[in-house]
Amino acid sequence: MKIVVIGGSGLIGSKLVIKLREHGHEAIAASPSSGVNTLTGEGLAEALKGASVVVDVSNSPSFEDAAVLKFFETSTRNLLTHEAAAGVGHHVALSVVGTERMSESGYFRAKIAQETMIKNSAIPYSIVRATQFFEFLKQLADISFDGDKVRLPPVLFQPMAADDVASALGRIAVGPPVNGTVEIGGPEQFRLDELVRQRLAALKDPREVIADPEALYSGAKVSLRTLVPDKTARLGETRFETWLTQSAAQIPSRKVG
Ligand SMILES: NC(=O)c1ccc[n+]([C@@H]2O[C@H](COP(=O)([O-])OP(=O)(O)OC[C@H]3O[C@@H](n4cnc5c(N)ncnc54)[C@H](OP(=O)(O)O)[C@@H]3O)[C@@H](O)[C@H]2O)c1
């Protein structure tokens, strides 16, 4: 099966491409660095020729409110149009657990717009909402740092390893479209401030983490269960302690997501 991974050079995309190839699929990593740009449409028709499935794990290079909205609206519109022309039978997109509960945030308004366009299109689809990645904890500290302390709300949090996200996406991509939303999450719940504190300690990052009930998450007010998935969520296997001891955890990933 030919499967095009939009954002195939990214954290999740690069893992997904490897897993799909291991299972014998023709997986194409598509992104600006390989000449495929969903914002401009460059290279899309050629990349999608003969594809059965498209998995969109791209992310906006800018997180400024207007830029991120423009990214997800324009790239999703271009993708769905080219998929219809190419006869693609399954559009899979990666979104975030709790997206609809965080519309105060410009980033999550953009993800809502992305999900809505997919649901309204004629292409069969699966929206996969994941909880935060373990790899994202350091970046979460960076965006929650006020120059003195890292301020995070003490809410529940059920993050997962990027590797488990890619495995779940791979299984869904080769299966029938669910024409709905699937939630995936990690095997354990933590308090957000506690886990970021542990992550910084493991990185020997001296910044102090404060539990601040007024602190925002990516610009949105969150309550105890905003970030946690439903009971029906499919759970990854990798525990945080196990992930911490793996070498990947020693290298903070490059971008905020
Ligand atoms: N961070 C989290 O905890 C979290 C949790 C749940 C869901 N998610 C979702 O996961 C998704 C992927 O995140 P990630 O961390 O894997 O992303 P990432 O590592 O930042 O990678 C982003 C990818 O998007 C590509 N891209 C950027 N502009 C593009 C364009 N114009 N056309 C096509 N591709 C473009 C990049 O390509 P180049 O390398 O060529 O620039 C790169 O491959 C996002 O949609 C995010 O909402 C994130």
Side-chain angles (χ1 to χ4, degrees):
M1 186 148 50
K2 177 174 172 181
I3 303 173
V4 177
V5 179
I6 303 292
S9 59
L11 172 66
I12 302 299
S14 54
K15 292 177 185 294
L16 177 60
V17 166
I18 292 169
K19 288 178 192 293
L20 290 170
R21 286 182 184 158
E22 281 171 357
H23 284 84
H25 297 289
E26 183 194 354
I28 308 294
S31 75
S33 53
S34 59
V36 182
N37 190 324
T38 50
L39 271 181
T40 62
E42 182 200 347
L44 260 184
E46 187 57 32
L48 265 49
K49 210 174 276 173
S52 305
V53 182
V54 169
V55 186
D56 183 7
V57 287
S58 63
N59 211 353
S60 173
S62 164
F63 289 85
E64 187 272 318
D65 283 5
V68 72
L69 184 63
K70 180 170 178 279
F71 177 86
F72 280 112
E73 282 185 339
T74 309
S75 64
T76 304
R77 184 180 312 113
N78 281 337
L79 259 180
L80 294 169
T81 303
H82 281 85
E83 286 173 27
V88 169
H90 189 184
H91 179 94
V92 182
L94 183 57
S95 191
V96 188
V97 164
T99 287
E100 82 287 359
R101 300 189 281 267
M102 293 184 279
S103 58
E104 264 185 345
S105 152
Y107 186 79
F108 288 103
R109 284 196 296 277
K111 295 299 285 186
I112 292 169
Q114 177 191 18
E115 290 191 0
T116 304
M117 290 172 87
I118 293 166
K119 289 174 189 165
N120 290 340
S121 90
I123 315 271
Y125 70 92
S126 304
I127 293 172
V128 181
R129 284 183 168 185
T131 57
Q132 290 65 36
F133 316 149
F134 293 150
E135 287 79 355
F136 176 59
L137 293 172
K138 157 77 167 57
Q139 296 154 271
L140 188 51
D142 294 343
I143 61 173
S144 308
F145 184 54
D146 66 5
D148 178 32
K149 294 184 170 35
V150 175
R151 295 183 181 278
L152 286 162
V155 298
L156 292 174
F157 185 52
Q158 199 172 324
M160 64 190 297
D163 204 52
D164 288 344
V165 177
S167 297
L169 274 173
R171 279 192 292 272
I172 290 164
V174 301
V178 299
N179 292 314
T181 303
V182 173
E183 287 194 339
I184 60 175
E188 307 161 282
Q189 278 187 3
F190 301 91
R191 255 180 43 182
L192 182 58
D193 58 305
E194 281 176 7
L195 204 67
V196 172
R197 197 174 290 117
Q198 279 188 44
R199 180 69 184 121
L200 293 189
L203 290 168
K204 301 191 172 27
D205 183 323
R207 287 177 294 174
E208 188 183 351
V209 179
I210 300 289
D212 177 354
E214 299 305 316
L216 301 179
Y217 176 85
S218 188
K221 193 164 270 174
V222 287
S223 57
L224 190 63
R225 304 195 63 81
T226 301
L227 300 175
V228 296
D230 281 352
K231 285 198 178 69
T232 55
R234 304 176 190 181
L235 304 186
E237 287 177 1
T238 312
R239 294 165 63 89
F240 181 68
E241 278 297 326
T242 311
W243 176 83
L244 258 191
T245 61
Q246 293 167 354
S247 59
Q250 312 309 318
I251 310 157
S253 51
R254 63 195 163 94
K255 280 187 265 178
V256 178

